[in-house]
C-alpha cells in the first residue's frame, strides 16, 4: 500500500456484531465480545499505518432502544476493558478521546471515559475517538446550546461558530467513513463533519474485520478524486 495520500482521519461504523453471533446460534452479546477484539485489531493496524485519528462508533444515542440486557452488556464491556487496555495504549502511544453525550452515560462509565482520556492525553501517536452515546444530531444540539449560553450575537454566527462548539473542534473532518455489515446509511454518525467524507461500504461483518480489510478501504480511498464542490483539472 502506498503511504502517500493517506486519510488523516478515518471513522468506522462498526456494524454487524449481532448478525455475526446469530449466524453461529450464539447470543448477540457474544458478537459484541468479538466486535471488541476486532476493534483492538483495527486500532493496532491504524496505528501501524500512521493514521492520525480513528473515530469508532461504539454506541449511538438510538442504541438505548435495545434490550436492557444488551445495553448493560455493552456498557459492561466498556467498563471492563477501556482502562484495562492502558498497557496497549502506552506501548502504541495511543491517545483515547471521547465524542458524545457524557451526561447521558451511567456515572461509572462517564468517570472511566474521563479518566482514560486524561491518562492518555500525552500520547502523541494515533488518537482513537470513542463515539459513545453519540448522535450527530445530538452533537449539533449540544453545540447550539453552548453557543447560546455564551450569548454570541446572531450576526456573528457562522459555520465556524458551529464547528468550534462541536465535541472535538481540533480534530479534522473524517476523510474516510467505513461502514461494515452491508448497511449503507450513516445512522446519525458525524453528520456535520462528514459533509465531504468519502464513504466505503463493506459486506463483511465487523467481528470478521482485520488489517487487510482496513487496507482495502484505504486503497479505495486513495483512488478517489475529491472535489469539495470545485473542479479538478
Ligand atoms: C454494531 O453491531 C454494534 C452496536 C451498534 C453497538 P450491531 O449490534 O448493530 O449488529 P447487527 O447490526 O444487529 O448485526
Ligand atoms: C450504528 O449501528 C451504531 C453503531 C455502530 C454504534 P446500528 O446497528 O445501531 O444502526 P441501524 O439501527 O442499523 O441504523
Ligand atoms: Mg447494527
Amino acid at each position: 500500500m502506498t503511504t502517500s495520500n493517506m486519510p488523516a482521519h478515518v471513522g468506522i461504523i462498526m456494524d454487524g456484531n449481532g448478525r455475526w453471533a446469530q449466524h453461529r446460534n450464539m447470543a448477540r452479546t457474544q458478537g459484541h465480545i468479538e466486535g471488541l477484539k476486532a476493534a483492538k485489531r483495527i486500532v493496532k493496524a491504524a496505528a501501524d499505518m500512521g493514521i492520525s485519528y480513528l473515530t469508532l462508533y461504539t454506541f449511538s444515542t438510538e442504541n438505548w432502544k435495545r434490550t436492557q440486557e444488551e445495553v448493560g452488556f455493552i456498557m459492561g464491556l466498556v467498563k471492563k476493558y477501556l482502562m484495562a487496555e492502558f498497557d496497549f495504549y502506552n506501548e502504541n502511544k495511543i491517545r483515547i478521546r471521547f465524542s458524545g453525550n457524557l451526561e447521558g452515560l451511567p456515572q461509572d462509565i462517564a468517570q472511566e471515559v474521563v479518566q482514560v482520556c486524561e491518562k492518555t492525553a500525552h500520547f502523541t501517536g494515533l488518537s482513537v475517538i470513542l463515539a459513545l452515546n453519540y448522535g450527530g444530531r445530538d452533537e449539533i444540539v449540544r453545540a447550539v446550546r453552548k453557543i447560546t449560553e455564551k450569548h454570541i450575537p446572531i450576526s456573528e454566527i457562522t459555520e465556524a461558530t458551529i464547528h468550534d462548539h462541536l465535541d472535538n473542534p481540533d480534530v479534522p473532518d473524517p476523510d474516510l467513513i467505513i461502514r461494515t455489515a452491508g448497511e449503507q446509511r450513516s445512522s446519525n454518525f458525524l453528520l456535520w463533519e462528514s459533509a465531504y467524507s468519502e464513504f466505503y461500504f463493506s459486506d463483511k461483518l465487523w467481528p470478521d474485520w482485520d488489517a487487510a480489510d482496513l487496507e482495502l478501504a484505504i486503497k479505495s480511498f486513495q483512488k478517489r478524486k475529491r472535489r469539495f464542490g470545485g473542479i479538478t483539472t
Side-chain angles (χ1 to χ4, degrees):
M1 189 178 68
T2 169
T3 50
S4 63
N5 192 25
M6 284 290 285
H9 181 182
V10 177
I12 308 185
I13 304 169
M14 309 181 290
D15 199 14
N17 293 353
R19 276 164 280 176
W20 186 94
Q22 279 159 350
H23 292 167
R24 288 165 178 75
N25 283 322
M26 293 172 174
R28 290 179 56 85
T29 47
Q30 193 60 36
H32 296 308
I33 293 176
E34 294 304 317
L36 180 64
K37 292 182 193 164
K40 191 172 174 183
R41 282 198 295 276
I42 297 302
V43 166
K44 178 77 172 78
D48 291 347
M49 287 175 197
I51 291 167
S52 301
Y53 302 92
L54 179 69
T55 299
L56 296 179
Y57 202 8
T58 307
F59 192 88
S60 76
T61 47
E62 287 74 39
N63 285 147
W64 299 104
K65 292 176 188 167
R66 298 186 180 200
T67 63
Q68 215 180 338
E69 186 205 356
E70 185 167 342
V71 170
F73 190 85
I74 294 168
M75 292 299 154
L77 283 181
V78 172
K79 192 165 156 69
K80 190 166 173 199
Y81 292 105
L82 189 60
M83 190 55 105
E85 289 291 348
F86 183 82
D87 288 347
F88 172 70
Y89 310 140
N90 188 21
E91 277 159 30
N92 295 284
K93 299 294 161 237
I94 290 165
R95 176 177 176 187
I96 305 294
R97 301 181 62 161
F98 173 77
S99 183
N101 196 331
L102 197 63
E103 285 165 15
L105 281 169
Q107 215 180 351
D108 55 336
I109 306 291
Q111 276 170 357
E112 194 81 1
V113 165
V114 169
Q115 210 181 31
V116 81
C117 291
E118 280 172 7
K119 290 232 160 94
T120 62
H122 60 292
F123 292 147
T124 53
L126 171 70
S127 281
V128 174
I129 299 130
L130 195 70
L132 187 66
N133 193 20
Y134 177 85
R137 289 179 175 178
D138 180 68
E139 186 187 20
I140 295 167
V141 169
R142 286 185 291 104
V144 170
R145 287 189 175 165
K146 288 179 220 167
I147 293 163
T148 312
E149 275 166 11
K150 288 188 191 168
H151 303 290
I152 296 173
I154 291 171
S155 60
E156 286 176 22
I157 293 177
T158 63
E159 288 188 9
T161 320
I162 306 275
H163 169 270
D164 291 346
H165 293 84
L166 295 174
D167 289 343
N168 293 292
D170 60 312
V171 173
D173 287 345
D175 302 292
L176 171 65
I177 291 182
I178 296 168
R179 183 162 186 155
T180 67
E183 248 60 73
Q184 304 195 348
R185 54 178 170 263
S186 86
S187 300
N188 207 6
F189 187 50
L190 301 178
L191 292 187
W192 181 278
E193 300 88 334
S194 65
Y196 275 97
S197 301
E198 296 294 328
F199 284 85
Y200 179 87
F201 299 106
S202 158
D203 287 334
K204 235 191 205 189
L205 305 176
W206 177 247
D208 291 325
W209 262 60
D210 61 22
D213 296 296
L214 181 63
E215 215 171 284
L216 279 179
I218 290 171
K219 278 185 183 155
S220 165
F221 169 82
Q222 288 172 325
K223 285 188 218 136
R224 315 260 181 111
K225 277 204 165 56
R226 302 178 80 187
R227 284 184 287 277
F228 300 97
I231 297 165
T232 45
T233 49

